[in-house]
Amino acid sequence: MAIYLNDVSRTFGEYLLIPGLTTKMCIPSNVSLRTPLVKYKIGEVSPVRLNIPFVSAIMQSVSGPELAIELARNGGISFIFGSQSVEAQAEMVRKVKKFKAGFVVSDSNLTPEDRLSDVIALIKRTGHSTIGITDDGTANGRLLGLVTSKDFRPEKDDNSMKIKYFMTPFDRLHVGRLGISLTEANQIIWEYRLNTLPIIDGEEHLAYFVFRKDYDNHRANPHELSGGDKTLLVGAGINSRDYEERVPALIDAGVDVLCIDSSDGYSEWQKDTIQWIRERYGDTVYVGAGNVVDSEGFDYLVRAGADFVKVGIGGGSICITREQKGIGRGQATALIDVAQARERHLQETGVYIPICSDGGIVHDYHMTLALAMGADFLMMGRYFARFDESPTKKLRIGNNYVKEYWGEGSNRAQNWQRYDSGGSESLKFEEGVDSYVPYAGKMKDNLNATLGKIKATMCSCGAVTLEELQRQAKITLVSSTSIVEGGAHDVILKEKT
């Protein structure tokens, strides 16, 4: 006979937070949203911490390099989608790692004998308008000059003209010597009003560039998530099929954390994947696993060696797993159950396993509820798919602008590895849909508004850290009538002009 659970499968929309004492310290400017990304022992600090509790979903329509860069600059992290070739995914990771506020290895280089047409073609291919001119055209050749977009006019200058006739030659460049600190390099940039400072070694070989815009960007993004080498942090999704090829390539590209992407993480396939990583890399490679919806799934993945566990099946806005297979659980109930299992594990072992809530977010206040219920961070797809930085097209339908958004289980994505049941069969039916989401503009503006709501709600709960929120939050179930009461009612709303 089947095992029947007595609890009801509930969603975030069925709960509300009860206000706590708002002390004079509880103001938004005092609220910290820092949160652990990977496991750690109590008394220690997680090796990787997020500055905001947001990560972007492992989806073709969400997590490309542009969004990964922008999210990291604002304190979160993206997981570059794995439903593409190993080479393509690794290149996306490299693109994010090259975008750093610090010493940048030049990937745009030519020789003095190359021509303006080569400059134009290189700028078009890389998007970088600063080109190092070296004796052999490599990133570490002897520096002979510099070319920027200010040095030529493509519509008027002869495209066959050699670079040596319009570049800024070495003897007119301000340069820094290898070993200079980033602070000293920025001081030279400011003193001489430079946009770029080449860093050379004792034999005048190009080593790095330091860019003024990186300094300005860092000041504009104080919560930027970067490592000791000043590179932005970035994650990547992997599957339980080709990990022996994909994982080494991603590590070589500089990935900071991996996550096994699956609709059902409670499987021996995930255990095998984690153990393969542990056998070859030990604890030096961080890998999350999931998705699960109960304590048994959580415990299984933790024993396998997961650094964090992802919670949620069927709650995504484009996910139809529950409809197709009748499998899943209300996101709130699943999260509460897994958070309790995490607490038991903590008491027994002294090791804290972060959990990620994936799916079920309809309104911004659901985010705060998920965090209060025990999530350390939230993985979101629809939320990020709306922004300029997502990789999809912006379209106009009627009087509204929208962006394309499709599930990894849709025919469009063809990501059958995510729904792998073993064997050699591919996806036989869809578990995701192809859709649109309302276009919302730039990420930063929307993110600031959302984070402002979370901080304000935390203050109303008497909490200035996520740890305090989870410890102090009071949560109540609501009736269908009280849900209606919570919105505008019994009035005639004015039309917005």
Side-chain angles (χ1 to χ4, degrees):
M1 184 175 177
I3 299 171
Y4 289 87
L5 303 183
N6 291 324
D7 64 329
V8 177
S9 187
R10 298 190 182 278
T11 66
F12 295 132
E14 297 177 78
Y15 291 93
L16 286 175
L17 288 156
I18 301 294
L21 174 63
T22 303
T23 68
K24 293 179 181 178
M25 284 295 295
C26 293
I27 57 175
S29 60
N30 286 340
V31 173
S32 169
L33 296 177
R34 294 203 73 188
T35 190
L37 180 68
V38 298
K39 66 184 177 184
Y40 62 97
K41 293 180 180 179
I42 291 302
E44 300 179 358
V45 176
S46 174
V48 185
R49 301 184 74 193
L50 303 175
N51 291 326
I52 63 171
F54 289 178
V55 305
S56 67
I58 310 170
M59 301 175 67
Q60 295 174 10
S61 55
V62 178
S63 293
E66 288 77 17
L67 189 132
I69 289 169
E70 187 62 16
L71 183 53
R73 290 173 66 193
N74 284 278
I77 195 170
S78 288
F79 287 87
I80 301 294
F81 66 92
S83 51
Q84 58 179 321
S85 71
V86 173
E87 295 76 16
Q89 187 185 24
E91 185 55 36
M92 286 188 178
V93 169
R94 286 192 184 92
K95 186 172 182 179
V96 179
K97 299 305 289 185
K98 286 177 181 177
F99 187 98
K100 63 179 181 179
F103 296 102
V104 181
V105 176
S106 176
D107 62 356
S108 297
N109 305 280
L110 292 169
T111 73
E113 297 300 316
D114 290 316
R115 302 181 184 276
L116 176 56
S117 57
D118 298 310
V119 171
I120 295 171
L122 185 59
I123 291 175
K124 184 177 181 180
R125 187 172 73 251
T126 66
H128 300 153
S129 58
T130 299
I131 299 174
I133 309 303
T134 59
D135 61 344
D136 59 2
T138 69
N140 299 116
R142 187 164 62 88
L143 183 64
L144 300 178
L146 204 64
V147 168
T148 72
S149 57
K150 296 179 180 180
D151 295 321
F152 61 90
R153 297 176 299 174
E155 68 281 355
K156 292 188 177 181
D157 293 335
D158 183 359
N159 282 13
S160 65
M161 179 170 50
K162 290 187 176 181
I163 289 174
K164 62 184 178 183
Y165 296 119
F166 62 89
M167 72 180 187
T168 302
F170 180 82
D171 58 8
R172 288 173 51 196
L173 293 175
H174 293 282
V175 298
R177 296 288 174 173
L178 196 60
I180 190 174
S181 71
L182 186 58
T183 300
E184 292 169 332
N186 282 320
Q187 185 59 40
I188 295 173
I189 287 174
W190 279 97
E191 182 178 350
Y192 294 101
R193 294 180 174 84
L194 308 175
N195 290 321
T196 308
L197 179 70
I199 307 298
I200 60 174
D201 65 14
E203 297 178 345
E204 298 183 351
H205 289 91
L206 177 62
Y208 303 104
F209 283 137
V210 177
F211 294 100
R212 180 193 183 104
K213 64 175 181 154
D214 285 342
Y215 176 81
D216 294 336
N217 285 338
H218 185 67
R219 290 194 64 186
N221 296 282
H223 300 300
E224 183 176 271
L225 193 65
S226 57
D229 60 356
K230 302 299 182 180
T231 62
L232 299 177
L233 299 193
V234 61
I238 61 174
N239 61 65
S240 56
R241 282 282 180 163
D242 64 5
Y243 55 87
E244 294 185 19
E245 177 188 4
R246 191 173 294 272
V247 170
L250 293 171
I251 292 172
D252 182 66
V255 75
D256 297 287
V257 60
L258 303 170
C259 184
I260 307 172
D261 184 29
S262 174
S263 67
D264 178 13
Y266 190 9
S267 77
E268 291 184 342
W269 308 113
Q270 290 221 2
K271 178 182 177 181
D272 291 345
T273 304
I274 297 171
Q275 291 184 342
W276 184 89
I277 293 172
R278 292 288 173 250
E279 288 169 1
R280 283 154 183 78
Y281 300 100
D283 294 328
T284 62
V285 173
Y286 303 118
V287 55
N291 287 16
V292 299
V293 292
D294 64 5
S295 59
E296 291 182 9
F298 171 84
D299 291 337
Y300 183 83
L301 293 178
V302 170
R303 287 194 300 270
D307 287 299
F308 66 85
V309 174
K310 201 144 63 80
V311 179
I313 294 177
S317 60
I318 41 71
C319 183
I320 54 173
T321 295
R322 297 180 194 173
E323 178 182 307
Q324 292 282 52
K325 296 168 64 177
I327 284 178
R329 199 176 194 186
Q331 187 66 10
T333 301
L335 185 56
I336 292 168
D337 191 359
V338 172
Q340 291 171 344
R342 190 259 310 280
E343 183 63 23
R344 289 193 296 270
H345 180 81
L346 175 64
Q347 296 302 321
E348 293 169 1
T349 67
V351 177
Y352 187 91
I353 309 293
I355 54 179
C356 169
S357 180
D358 178 16
I361 302 293
V362 179
H363 305 291
D364 283 359
Y365 82 89
H366 290 170
M367 301 176 190
T368 317
L369 272 166
L371 295 168
M373 289 175 175
D376 295 281
F377 53 97
L378 315 175
M379 178 171 280
M380 296 181 289
R382 180 187 61 86
Y383 180 84
F384 290 111
R386 306 172 300 148
F387 301 146
D388 285 325
E389 294 83 1
S390 75
T392 62
K393 296 178 182 177
K394 183 176 76 171
L395 306 171
R396 182 169 181 170
I397 298 180
N399 294 322
N400 300 308
Y401 283 100
V402 298
K403 293 204 78 176
E404 295 179 298
Y405 180 47
W406 60 90
E408 289 296 293
S410 67
N411 279 331
R412 181 171 183 174
Q414 289 291 311
N415 185 8
W416 68 269
Q417 293 94 338
R418 189 177 195 273
Y419 302 86
D420 192 7
S421 298
S424 58
E425 292 186 359
S426 60
L427 189 66
K428 296 299 183 184
F429 54 89
E430 289 186 283
E431 292 191 43
V433 298
D434 198 343
S435 65
Y436 302 108
V437 289
Y439 168 67
K442 294 185 179 299
M443 178 194 296
K444 191 175 185 66
D445 297 337
N446 290 273
L447 200 56
N448 287 338
T450 297
L451 296 175
K453 292 179 187 179
I454 292 175
K455 291 180 178 181
T457 305
M458 288 174 62
C459 289
S460 294
C461 293
V464 293
T465 67
L466 293 179
E467 293 88 348
E468 288 182 0
L469 178 67
Q470 293 173 357
R471 189 170 61 247
Q472 300 172 189
K474 296 180 289 184
I475 302 173
T476 181
L477 276 167
V478 296
S479 67
S480 58
T481 306
S482 66
I483 293 174
V484 174
E485 180 187 59
H489 60 89
D490 301 319
V491 295
I492 300 173
L493 295 177
K494 294 180 179 179
E495 292 186 5
K496 294 182 179 180
T497 57

